[in-house]
């Protein structure tokens, strides 16, 4: 395409979603229609979801001469850093960024988002621990007489302690497995959407993360169940049997 032409080259995913073929009319705005002059072969990359049009055509459609960004292709042997600094010196007010600088910026943004997600996860972990502890404590309170009968029949304190702790671990493990199932289902739904829109799978629940989540759930259940289990094992037999 030359700057004076009013055609467009569309990516494979764009053509598939919009039902475009060679010669089809692509309406970008109510005032601008471009004829599809080419359809890119599917590569599974970002280009599958892009529309390439001449600069002049899009400037006319937007009613502006401004340019948001310009991609510069380097000749073999050129240094990206040197070219970026030369462009900034040659064109006042222009900010030139190399691919490595863009990647570093994206990495910093990801780190910040990781910290935010970690904070949310930490809050969820504390709330989950309190819920498990509350559930086990209420279970112990409602079964005081049952524990008294078990003690009267010869059950040792250690047996009662391990029994209550095992219940807490099972509750936490069940919650962790349910959470993993919901997470995997959510990732599957997200990937269905992103594969259709941009041709990329953007979500996953890797095995290492699943094992870590289950380990965290077991650790949470163990921590939350220690105190209720200790209290259950220390209930006096006479007091327990006397409760109604």
């Amino acid at each position: 395409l030359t700057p004076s032409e009013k055609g467009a080259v569309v990516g494979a995913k764009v053509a598939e979603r919009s039902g475009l073929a060679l010669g089809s009319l692509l309406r970008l705005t109510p005032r601008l229609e471009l004829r599809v002059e080419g359809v890119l072969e599917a590569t599974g990359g970002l280009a599958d979801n892009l529309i390439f049009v001449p600069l002049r055509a899009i400037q006319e459609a937007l009613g502006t001469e401004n340019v948001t960004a310009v991609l510069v292709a380097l000749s073999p042997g050129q240094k990206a850093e040197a070219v970026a600094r030369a462009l900034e010196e040659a064109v006042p007010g222009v900010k030139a960024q190399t691919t490595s600088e863009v990647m570093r910026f994206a990495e910093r943004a990801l780190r910040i988002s990781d910290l935010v997600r970690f904070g949310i996860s930490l809050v969820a972990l504390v709330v989950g621990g309190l819920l498990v502890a509350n559930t086990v404590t209420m279970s112990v309170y409602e079964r005081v007489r049952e524990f008294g009968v078990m003690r009267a029949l010869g059950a040792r304190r250690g047996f009662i302690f391990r029994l209550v702790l095992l219940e807490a671990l099972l509750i936490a493990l069940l919650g962790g497995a349910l959470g993993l199932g919901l997470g995997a289902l959510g990732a599957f739904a997200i990937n269905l959407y992103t594969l259709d829109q941009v041709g990329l799978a953007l979500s996953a629940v890797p095995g290492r993360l699943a094992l870590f989540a289950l380990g965290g759930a077991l650790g949470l259940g163990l921590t939350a169940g220690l105190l209720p289990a200790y209290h259950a094992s220390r209930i006096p037999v006479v007091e327990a049997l006397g409760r109604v």
Side-chain angles (χ1 to χ4, degrees):
L1 297 174
T2 64
S4 60
E5 290 180 318
K6 289 193 176 181
V9 175
V10 299
K13 283 288 183 180
V14 176
E16 180 182 343
R17 288 196 301 269
S18 303
L20 299 174
L22 290 179
S24 299
L25 289 179
L26 173 63
R27 181 184 292 272
L28 295 181
T29 70
R31 297 182 302 159
L32 179 62
E33 282 188 344
L34 301 178
R35 187 174 300 278
V36 176
E37 303 292 346
V39 178
L40 297 178
E41 184 179 352
T43 61
L46 183 62
D48 291 349
N49 300 278
L50 297 181
I51 301 174
F52 300 89
V53 299
L55 177 61
R56 179 56 58 188
I58 198 68
Q59 284 179 329
E60 290 179 2
L62 298 176
T64 179
E65 295 291 325
N66 295 330
V67 176
T68 304
V70 175
L71 180 65
V72 178
L74 303 183
S75 300
Q78 287 185 311
K79 301 293 186 180
E81 291 286 348
V83 172
R85 302 294 81 81
L87 285 172
E88 289 178 342
E89 292 178 2
V91 185
V94 166
K95 173 62 177 176
Q97 289 183 309
T98 63
T99 303
S100 60
E101 290 173 339
V102 174
M103 293 302 295
R104 284 196 294 269
F105 174 79
E107 185 178 354
R108 287 194 297 269
L110 286 175
R111 286 178 180 175
I112 294 173
S113 65
D114 286 342
L115 289 175
V116 173
R117 287 194 298 269
F118 176 77
I120 296 173
S121 301
L122 188 61
V123 172
L125 191 66
V126 172
V127 172
L130 292 175
L131 288 175
V132 172
N134 181 69
T135 301
V136 178
T137 301
M138 292 302 298
S139 174
V140 169
Y141 178 78
E142 293 173 355
R143 296 159 59 195
V144 169
R145 186 176 178 83
E146 175 186 337
F147 292 139
V149 172
M150 294 171 66
R151 288 292 310 282
L153 293 176
R156 295 180 178 274
R157 288 180 174 179
F159 175 79
I160 302 295
F161 180 87
R162 290 190 295 270
L163 178 64
V164 175
L165 192 60
L166 179 60
E167 290 180 359
L169 289 174
L170 289 176
I171 291 174
L173 184 61
L174 180 62
L178 181 61
L180 276 177
L182 292 176
L185 184 63
F188 177 75
I190 290 172
N191 287 337
L192 281 181
Y193 177 77
T194 57
L195 283 171
D196 178 64
Q197 295 297 316
V198 299
L200 297 173
L202 301 180
S203 182
V205 181
R208 182 179 299 179
L209 177 61
L211 290 176
F212 177 78
L214 287 178
L218 289 175
L220 179 65
L222 179 64
T223 304
L226 283 175
L227 188 60
Y230 175 79
H231 285 315
S233 66
R234 295 293 173 178
I235 296 175
V237 178
V238 176
E239 178 185 338
L241 292 176
R243 284 200 183 183
V244 178

